Every structure is written in structure tokens, then in C-alpha cells.
């Protein structure tokens, strides 16, 4: 997107509250469902994300200073009401929650970027233009999920010593110092698949493309797809859980497990989580 195009269409590229049937006539709206009951916290998704998106391993010292670069992290926590002595582990074990950019429809990060480096795409992605980013970090400060990461160092010079640079994904740029980055829903895969489908005169089929994290998950806990296609698996799961993209508060059957994180902030995330099922009487 050129700067002239951005200035001319500034309003349409900014975050705004979603409305009913917003994507009814759209070709694509990418979304995700994560089943926490199937997640084992193995970190295969995190590893796949590192390999697919050329993420540097920053090391322990820089990690302790808050310079971590993982676009997808596994949150580990104990269940509500489960007290955990320091030297013990609860009988039912820990719970795990994969956390990445939630691709919010009304993204708080977009409205504070002074140069329009982060904006909304037509297919519902919260995109990041690296060569426009000036490193203000306003977007990181405004993100309630803390899933944006800043390049404090020129990692490209040290993270992949010869011959490890050969493992880099040629479809993804290696970001430079002073640039903000985050999960893109593996946009390079999406664009390639959409281009192929357009050449064939059709839309991307359900299951034809997926993210690296979903592909690597050994328990198929992550479902990715086109929410604008009512026949897609992700759209069916959203509907079955009575989750609607444009609603502030989901009023649904209490027996359903689907929810979106921090809905009360009205960010309208594109990621739905399914609660873990636990037999507390066992």
C-alpha cells in the first residue's frame, strides 16, 4: 500500500467497530479457534512460528530484559480455585493457553500509530508495514494482550550464524533494528494461496491454507480458516459456540465453552478459545 493510498483512504484503513454481516459479501475474513482442552502446552506451535516467520532466539539475558521476540507464547496457569504450594503441582496439572495477536476488528494498536504502519486489511487482518514503522512503540503500549514485539537489536547480524541463515524462510523478511513486529496469521501463506485461487478463478477452499502453528499442532487444537465462508470449519465452530464477531458481550448457553479474551475492552478479537473441560469431582 502506497503512502498516497493510505492518506487518501485513511478512514477505511483505521480500526472501527464491526457491524452485523460486515463480511457477508466479502471473499475472506480470517479467524481462528483454539481448543484449550486439546492443548498440551508442548510448544510445537511456538517452534513452528519461529521457523516459519524468521524469529530470532534472543537468549536468556535479553529475554530477562523483556526483549523476547516470540509472536506466539504459551501461557501456563493453574485453574480457578486451585491453590498451589510452592513445592507441589496440582493433581490435575497446569492449564495452557496459546497467546498471539488476536487480530482485533477494533484494534487499539491501529489508532495510535502515528505513521499508519499498522492498519486493517480488507480480509480482516491487523497488518504491519515494516518499512513504514518508526519504532514509536505506541502500538505495543496500547495492546491489551501484549503480543507486539520490538526489535531492540539488529538480530539479523547475530541470530543466524553461518550456515544457519540457510534455514530462513525466503517468503518472510528479516526485520531490522527499531521495527515493531507481531503475529500475522502467516500472511505470506494466505497471500500465496489467495493468488493461486484467483488465478484459477475461485476462492481459497477450506483447509487449503493454514497457519504454521495450526499445521504443527500434534493434537489439532488450532483451527484456522475463512470466517466469511459459512461452510468452513472455523465458521461452524464460531456458530456452534454462539460467538458473533460484532457483539460486545456474548449472551449464550452457559454450557458452551467458547469465549474471546478481554471482550469487555471491545476490541472484537478474531480468535475464539474453547474452555478446558475438567472434572473437579474426580
Amino acid at each position: 500500500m502506497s503512502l498516497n493510498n493510505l492518506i487518501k483512504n485513511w478512514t477505511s484503513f483505521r480500526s472501527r467497530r464491526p457491524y452485523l454481516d460486515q463480511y457477508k459479501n466479502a471473499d475472506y475474513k480470517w479467524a481462528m479457534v483454539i481448543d484449550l482442552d486439546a492443548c498440551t502446552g508442548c510448544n510445537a506451535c511456538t517452534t513452528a512460528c519461529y521457523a516459519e516467520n524468521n524469529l530470532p532466539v534472543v537468549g536468556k539475558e535479553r529475554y530477562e530484559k523483556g526483549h523476547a521476540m516470540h509472536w506466539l507464547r504459551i501461557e501456563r496457569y493453574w485453574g480457578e480455585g486451585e491453590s498451589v504450594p510452592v513445592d507441589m503441582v496440582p493433581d490435575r496439572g497446569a492449564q495452557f493457553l496459546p497467546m498471539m495477536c488476536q487480530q482485533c476488528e477494533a484494534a487499539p494498536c491501529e489508532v495510535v500509530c502515528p505513521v499508519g504502519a499498522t492498519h486493517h486489511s480488507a480480509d480482516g487482518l491487523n497488518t504491519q508495514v515494516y518499512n513504514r514503522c518508526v519504532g514509536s512503540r505506541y502500538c505495543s503500549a496500547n495492546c491489551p494482550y501484549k503480543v507486539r514485539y520490538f526489535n531492540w537489536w539488529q538480530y539479523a547480524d547475530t541470530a543466524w550464524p553461518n550456515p544457519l541463515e540457510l534455514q530462513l524462510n525466503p517468503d518472510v523478511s528479516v526485520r531490522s533494528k527499531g521495527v515493531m513486529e507481531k503475529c500475522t496469521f502467516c500472511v505470506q501463506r494466505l497471500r500465496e494461496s489467495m493468488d493461486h485461487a484467483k488465478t484459477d478463478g475461485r476462492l481459497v477452499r477450506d483447509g487449503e491454507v493454514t497457519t504454521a502453528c495450526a499445521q504443527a499442532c500434534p493434537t489439532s487444537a488450532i483451527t484456522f480458516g475463512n470466517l466469511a465462508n459459512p461452510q468452513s470449519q472455523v465458521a461452524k465452530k464460531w456458530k456452534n459456540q454462539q460467538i458473533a464477531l460484532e457483539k460486545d458481550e456474548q449472551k449464550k448457553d452457559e454450557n458452551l465453552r467458547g469465549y474471546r479474551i478481554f471482550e469487555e475492552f471491545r476490541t472484537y478479537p478474531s480468535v475464539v478459545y474453547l474452555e478446558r473441560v475438567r472434572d473437579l469431582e474426580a
Side-chain angles (χ1 to χ4, degrees):
M1 182 178 63
S2 68
L3 183 59
N4 287 336
N5 186 25
L6 175 67
I7 296 173
K8 183 179 179 180
N9 300 286
W10 180 257
T11 303
S12 62
F13 288 125
R14 307 307 287 179
S15 298
R16 53 186 176 182
R17 177 176 177 170
Y19 50 89
L20 182 64
D21 294 334
Q22 179 176 347
Y23 291 97
K24 183 178 181 180
N25 298 318
D27 290 337
Y28 303 104
K29 161 55 190 170
W30 302 109
M32 183 176 283
V33 175
I34 301 177
D35 188 348
L36 301 183
D37 199 45
C39 179
T40 62
C42 69
N43 269 303
C45 53
T46 305
T47 304
C49 182
Y50 265 80
E52 172 70 20
N53 295 296
N54 298 336
L55 301 184
V57 177
V58 301
K60 181 179 179 181
E61 293 183 359
R62 288 176 178 172
Y63 186 91
E64 290 177 341
K65 294 178 181 177
H67 296 175
M69 294 302 297
H70 45 216
W71 289 3
L72 167 60
R73 64 176 186 266
I74 301 295
E75 303 279 8
R76 189 180 69 165
Y77 61 96
W78 310 119
E80 184 177 358
E82 290 182 314
S83 59
V84 186
V86 176
D87 57 346
M88 296 183 64
V89 176
D91 294 336
R92 300 179 185 86
Q95 300 186 49
F96 305 98
L97 187 147
M99 173 58 70
M100 75 290 284
C101 175
Q102 303 291 294
Q103 307 292 343
C104 307
E105 278 297 308
C109 56
E110 294 179 2
V111 294
V112 295
C113 181
V115 294
T118 180
H119 59 84
H120 227 65
S121 67
D123 50 357
L125 294 180
N126 174 237
T127 60
Q128 181 75 21
V129 183
Y130 300 127
N131 59 4
R132 185 177 296 154
C133 179
V134 297
S136 68
R137 291 184 286 146
Y138 293 159
C139 56
S140 178
N142 227 31
C143 174
Y145 306 98
K146 298 306 172 192
V147 288
R148 286 180 158 268
Y149 302 94
F150 185 69
N151 282 272
W152 293 91
W153 309 90
Q154 187 70 11
Y155 293 113
D157 296 341
T158 57
W160 299 280
N162 184 271
L164 294 181
E165 76 277 10
L166 297 177
Q167 74 172 15
L168 294 175
N169 184 352
D171 295 331
V172 181
S173 61
V174 177
R175 284 71 62 189
S176 59
K177 180 181 179 180
V179 171
M180 186 64 70
E181 60 183 64
K182 67 169 193 66
C183 167
T184 64
F185 267 3
C186 291
V187 66
Q188 67 280 1
R189 294 187 175 198
L190 302 180
R191 296 292 179 257
E192 181 183 15
S193 183
M194 292 163 69
D195 287 345
H196 287 165
K198 186 177 180 180
T199 301
D200 296 339
R202 58 177 176 83
L203 297 178
V204 176
R205 302 185 184 94
D206 188 36
E208 185 176 346
V209 62
T210 190
T211 58
C213 56
Q215 184 180 15
C217 181
T219 61
S220 301
I222 303 175
T223 303
F224 177 80
N226 182 11
L227 194 63
N229 175 10
Q231 300 305 315
S232 68
Q233 289 298 312
V234 73
K236 290 179 180 176
K237 289 188 176 183
W238 275 59
K239 184 178 181 180
N240 290 341
Q241 295 298 322
Q242 300 177 15
I243 304 288
L245 185 67
E246 73 283 358
K247 288 186 177 178
D248 298 346
E249 183 180 356
Q250 311 292 335
K251 295 180 180 178
K252 57 182 185 179
D253 190 328
E254 61 180 10
N255 295 320
L256 296 178
R257 298 192 290 137
Y259 70 96
R260 294 187 294 180
I261 295 179
F262 291 157
E263 279 188 320
E264 62 272 26
F265 292 169
R266 297 184 176 180
T267 56
Y268 307 99
S270 300
V271 180
V272 166
Y273 291 86
L274 304 183
E275 289 182 13
R276 185 175 180 180
V277 178
R278 286 196 160 196
D279 184 1
L280 298 179
E281 302 298 328

